[in-house]
Amino acid sequence: MRPFLVTCLGAVCTAALALSSAPAAGAHAVPAPAAAPRATSTPEPPGSTQSLPVPTPGAAAPDATDRDAATVPAPRTLGLPARTVHPFSLLGVVWEDAASELHGRVQVRTRATGTTRWSDWQDVQVHNDDAPDLGSAERHGSDVRGSTSPLWVGDSDAVQLRITPESSDRAPATVPAGLRLELVDPGRTPRGLRGAHAGPPGPVGTGAATAAASAANALLAPLGATEIPALDQVASLADIAAAGLLSPERAYVGARPRIVTRAGWGADEELREKAFIYTDTVRAAFVHHSGSGNDYSCDEAPALIRAMYRFHVKSNHWRDIGYNFLIDKCGTVYEGRAGGVAKPVMGAHTLGFNADSTGIAVLGTFTDDEPPRRAVDAIARLAAWKLGLYGVDPRKMTKLLSAGGNRFPKGSKVPLHVISGHRDGFTTDCPGLHLYNKLGAARAAAAGLQGR
């Protein structure tokens, strides 16, 4: 059985998938609230996206209105002159064809909101290899775009962009059609969520989509919960067994880590597609870095995730945020794509291998920097629990069927570590060499946490 679609209408999910490697037998309805959970406070503004076209050779020059400086891109470069914009905190470049690549260097500088202080030029990670599978429902009938990785720049109200395309003696420099600079405002963090990594935030959000996202975790936390509490190993096993989700061969399940739900980081559930898509099981976990830089605080992590969510949906045209889980530098685990943290939700994180896997992204860039120890420990804790639900040993190898990518052709059965880096399934630098080198220790630690 291939990806399983669950549609949520009104405040009731008409179907959901139980934890089972045999979904035809294990699918069951999950109760949803008759009405959406009431918010205890008025939600803050949900955020916005500014989309600025980047002129290419032969195109009209950009509008000079409201520029801070009369600078223009240097010879042999493309870009946007410095200009004042509405406040934003995350940016990225997108283009029309997801199959096209941007070869060259992308750099930005930004101005902190309400100041005259400009940042130094920063590199934007050009290759964003996280994407829906080519044959997936997420691609059908959609206009999925190509993009760089999103970069977190903090609260800013001005920006300048320069793109230096690669060229050679054999071929002139080219760039994909339809280049646009996307500037994302994540919205103000709701009062109850400020400092969410340190303690339970307050409930936010109303509506059918909010109720449906919460109902997907109803076996693990109350409806409207902003976090799924941690359980020790004994309690985690008992909790799963009591729900009828644990079979005898799945006796190795790690303690459940605390997981901040989508309500907990302030997801605007009206942005995403309303249906949930599940695959057969979870055989592997792919570890990523977000490529969004390391210049954020743990208090800013919910805003960073909201911005990334909006970038994935509004700018990349994906159905939801791509990752199944995210981890910040303090080791806090966040629910990613909607559908239930214990279920085999199909993500958009490892092109070619999104089926029967889960995607875990550590917020940051670890090409040159070491990942925080707390984040690496959180990978092991999360993998010990999530993989344990499906009877999977984190130390083992598994085989996944490729849906097509730049490393393995469609239809090939590929041997992979149960805990793999993104680069194991796709030719990419992700998750950065420094994080990738920690995965061996994470496998051993996760197995130990399972009691193996």
Side-chain angles (χ1 to χ4, degrees), residues 326-412:
L326 303 102
I327 296 172
D328 70 19
K329 63 176 63 176
C330 290
T332 300
V333 178
Y334 299 84
E335 177 184 16
R337 182 162 287 208
V341 296
K343 300 187 179 108
V345 178
M346 187 171 191
H349 51 83
T350 305
L351 179 62
F353 296 101
N354 288 307
D356 298 344
S357 70
T358 195
I360 302 170
V362 180
L363 298 176
T365 305
F366 305 109
T367 306
D368 300 313
D369 297 328
E370 290 288 333
R373 175 64 182 271
R374 287 181 289 182
V376 177
D377 290 346
I379 293 171
R381 292 196 308 274
L382 176 59
W385 176 73
K386 178 73 174 185
L387 295 172
L389 299 178
Y390 296 87
V392 179
D393 185 339
R395 302 168 300 183
K396 300 294 186 179
M397 301 289 290
T398 189
K399 284 190 175 181
L400 295 180
L401 185 68
S402 173
N406 68 359
R407 184 167 184 180
F408 299 104
K410 182 178 181 179
S412 57

Side-chain angles (χ1 to χ4, degrees), residues 78-445:
L78 307 170
L80 292 171
R83 63 175 62 187
T84 296
V85 294
H86 295 296
F88 69 98
S89 295
L90 178 140
L91 57 79
V93 174
V94 302
W95 51 90
E96 293 174 359
D97 184 2
S100 298
E101 295 185 6
L102 176 57
H103 296 285
R105 189 178 189 184
V106 177
Q107 296 174 292
V108 295
R109 66 183 189 120
T110 57
R111 187 183 66 192
T113 296
T115 74
T116 58
R117 186 176 68 255
W118 283 83
S119 71
D120 294 333
W121 285 100
Q122 301 182 73
D123 284 296
V124 179
Q125 184 173 295
V126 174
H127 300 294
N128 184 13
D129 305 313
D130 312 321
D133 288 342
L134 298 175
S136 70
E138 194 152 355
R139 292 268 190 172
H140 294 166
S142 69
D143 52 351
V144 172
R145 289 169 164 174
S147 76
T148 67
S149 290
L151 178 68
W152 178 261
V153 294
D155 192 7
S156 305
D157 63 7
V159 66
Q160 185 174 1
L161 168 73
R162 65 186 182 197
I163 301 173
T164 308
E166 285 183 357
S167 61
S168 67
D169 295 336
R170 297 180 179 179
T174 60
V175 294
L179 291 174
R180 305 187 73 88
L181 176 64
E182 304 283 289
L183 306 175
V184 183
D185 169 21
R188 292 181 59 194
T189 298
R191 295 179 183 86
L193 301 185
R194 290 165 191 161
H197 73 282
V204 296
T206 60
T210 300
S214 183
N217 291 315
L219 294 175
L220 305 179
L223 293 168
T226 53
E227 68 172 58
I228 296 168
L231 293 179
D232 63 26
Q233 188 174 25
V234 173
S236 185
L237 284 165
D239 184 60
I240 295 165
L245 301 178
L246 183 67
S247 56
E249 67 271 18
R250 294 178 183 161
Y252 296 98
V253 179
R256 186 176 74 199
R258 171 180 173 264
I259 303 172
V260 176
T261 66
R262 290 171 65 89
W265 51 263
D268 177 2
E269 300 295 355
E270 297 304 318
L271 288 180
R272 63 172 174 82
E273 293 288 335
K274 300 304 180 285
F276 305 143
I277 297 181
Y278 300 105
T279 61
D280 293 352
T281 187
V282 176
R283 301 183 187 277
F286 284 98
V287 177
H288 305 254
H289 67 180
S290 64
S292 50
N294 303 316
D295 190 18
Y296 72 94
S297 69
C298 292
D299 283 343
E300 290 177 314
L304 170 52
I305 296 170
R306 290 197 308 278
M308 190 176 300
Y309 169 43
R310 179 173 282 274
F311 184 78
H312 285 179
V313 175
K314 291 297 187 181
S315 300
N316 288 353
H317 297 171
W318 299 354
R319 64 181 305 109
D320 195 349
I321 193 169
Y323 307 114
N324 298 99
F325 297 95
L326 303 102
I327 296 172
D328 70 19
K329 63 176 63 176
C330 290
T332 300
V333 178
Y334 299 84
E335 177 184 16
R337 182 162 287 208
V341 296
K343 300 187 179 108
V345 178
M346 187 171 191
H349 51 83
T350 305
L351 179 62
F353 296 101
N354 288 307
D356 298 344
S357 70
T358 195
I360 302 170
V362 180
L363 298 176
T365 305
F366 305 109
T367 306
D368 300 313
D369 297 328
E370 290 288 333
R373 175 64 182 271
R374 287 181 289 182
V376 177
D377 290 346
I379 293 171
R381 292 196 308 274
L382 176 59
W385 176 73
K386 178 73 174 185
L387 295 172
L389 299 178
Y390 296 87
V392 179
D393 185 339
R395 302 168 300 183
K396 300 294 186 179
M397 301 289 290
T398 189
K399 284 190 175 181
L400 295 180
L401 185 68
S402 173
N406 68 359
R407 184 167 184 180
F408 299 104
K410 182 178 181 179
S412 57
K413 292 184 177 179
V414 182
L416 292 161
H417 286 285
V418 163
I419 299 179
S420 281
H422 185 184
R423 62 174 61 188
D424 293 321
F426 195 91
T427 302
T428 174
D429 289 335
C430 183
L433 181 62
H434 293 283
L435 179 54
Y436 186 77
N437 287 341
K438 299 290 191 297
L439 296 187
R443 294 180 193 113

